[in-house]
Amino acid sequence: TAKYALEGMEKTRVYRDANTWSIVYDNCPALGTALNLPALPAPFTRSVICERIDPKKIKVKILASWTDDKGTHTSQLISYFTDKLSWE
């Protein structure tokens, strides 16, 4: 459901705010592991996809999915994070 995608995005923002940009940027490819998100109850799954756009910007996509007798359903959230120092 959307709440699982939202939970993943909130944890991503907390991680970003608690670390330096260098750590966030360097861990981008393995961000899902770095976040240590709790496992979801069956039949739900969640994935975190992080893409480096440039040295001061990353794209984070959170997907929450489940499958039932009508097929697979997915909620998706996308956010762009930038190096706070680039705001100045």
Side-chain angles (χ1 to χ4, degrees):
T1 71
K3 78 175 188 173
Y4 293 131
L6 183 59
E7 177 188 57
M9 190 60 75
E10 288 301 316
K11 296 263 187 191
T12 303
R13 288 187 179 111
V14 168
Y15 178 82
R16 176 203 58 193
D17 293 346
N19 291 285
T20 65
W21 178 252
S22 174
I23 290 171
V24 173
Y25 186 83
D26 289 347
N27 286 331
C28 181
L31 189 58
T33 302
L35 292 174
N36 196 26
L37 293 170
L40 299 179
F44 300 98
T45 62
R46 175 172 45 210
S47 59
V48 178
I49 302 161
C50 186
E51 176 186 350
R52 292 176 181 146
I53 303 299
D54 63 46
K56 297 191 181 286
K57 186 176 187 179
I58 61 173
K59 176 182 176 182
V60 177
K61 185 187 317 184
I62 311 290
L63 301 169
S65 303
W66 70 99
T67 302
D68 61 18
D69 60 343
K70 295 182 179 157
T72 300
H73 313 274
T74 303
S75 293
Q76 172 181 279
L77 292 176
I78 296 174
S79 189
Y80 291 86
F81 296 157
T82 58
D83 181 358
K84 293 178 204 173
L85 296 177
S86 69
W87 299 351
E88 298 173 358

